[in-house]
Amino acid sequence: MDELSPDWKESFFGTKTTLFELIKLLDIAPRKQAIEEVQISPETEATVNFAVESRKKELDEFEAQIGTHLFIEGEIIALSFDPMNIVPLDGRLLHKNYIKVRINNQEYLVQQPSLTYCAGGLKNINKLLIVLKDKPLETGDSLVITGIGELMGQYTIQEDTINLVVK
């Protein structure tokens, strides 16, 4: 303050004006530092690259798991999840512990790692990938998944991949 207005103390103590109001009266031009002027150290770049590669590796390992890969596509809303155990990368979130979702106005708790593809925030999910140990039971217009429940929708099966489209 002494640098911007040497007599600020007299002005401040002589009135009932708050310090904030006094600063507003000074009409100080904002100081903008050009983004080009910011120096990023090689250590910072290496740290960021390491973090991104670690996340990519975790997602790749999840997707490479042996089992039936169930892709659920459609309107899926995340209701709850463990925020401390999520690995985000490029619009995808690896939920390491669990996620509770709403599909077709039904709630489902997935108590195993799963991968969500998000659109516009954490809650709006376009696609959910779950790697199943046991193949689901087919009923024609739904799949019954052990530990999760019955999911209504149209599905196609190709080897160890199931694509289920929900409304």
Side-chain angles (χ1 to χ4, degrees):
M1 279 297 291
D2 289 334
E3 193 176 301
L4 298 170
S5 177
D7 62 338
W8 75 272
K9 291 176 190 168
E10 290 77 26
S11 301
F12 178 67
F13 291 118
T15 68
K16 292 188 177 193
T17 307
T18 65
L19 188 56
F20 177 73
E21 291 169 334
L22 187 62
I23 292 171
K24 280 178 40 178
L25 292 173
L26 293 175
D27 195 30
I28 303 167
R31 297 180 189 178
K32 293 185 181 179
Q33 183 178 12
I35 195 74
E36 298 86 36
E37 294 176 23
V38 176
Q39 296 294 317
I40 300 173
S41 71
E43 293 85 7
T44 301
E45 284 188 28
T47 302
V48 169
N49 289 337
F50 175 77
V52 170
E53 288 304 314
S54 294
R55 290 177 181 184
K56 187 176 181 326
K57 181 181 176 193
E58 278 193 79
L59 269 67
D60 289 346
E61 286 173 357
F62 173 79
E63 291 175 329
Q65 286 183 60
I66 295 173
T68 302
H69 287 66
L70 172 62
F71 289 92
I72 304 169
E73 292 186 61
E75 187 177 322
I76 305 168
I77 305 295
L79 299 175
S80 66
F81 50 83
D82 179 359
M84 297 304 293
N85 288 293
I86 293 178
V87 179
L89 184 67
D90 300 329
R92 300 176 293 165
L93 299 170
L94 175 60
H95 296 266
K96 291 181 168 187
N97 290 336
Y98 75 92
I99 185 169
K100 186 175 186 179
V101 295
R102 180 179 298 128
I103 302 172
N104 294 330
N105 290 322
Q106 292 274 62
E107 292 182 7
Y108 299 93
L109 178 61
V110 180
Q111 292 181 298
Q112 67 183 66
S114 60
L115 184 64
T116 58
Y117 297 75
C118 298
L122 301 174
K123 295 189 85 152
N124 299 320
I125 301 170
N126 292 338
K127 189 182 337 181
L128 172 63
L129 169 59
I130 308 167
V131 180
L132 306 172
K133 293 178 183 156
D134 302 319
K135 291 202 179 279
L137 177 65
E138 300 175 50
T139 66
D141 60 350
S142 68
L143 295 172
V144 179
I145 302 155
T146 304
I148 297 174
E150 183 176 10
L151 287 162
M152 304 292 290
Q154 296 184 356
Y155 59 88
T156 58
I157 301 174
Q158 294 178 320
E159 297 178 16
D160 285 337
T161 302
I162 300 173
N163 289 302
L164 173 65
V165 178
V166 297
K167 296 181 185 198

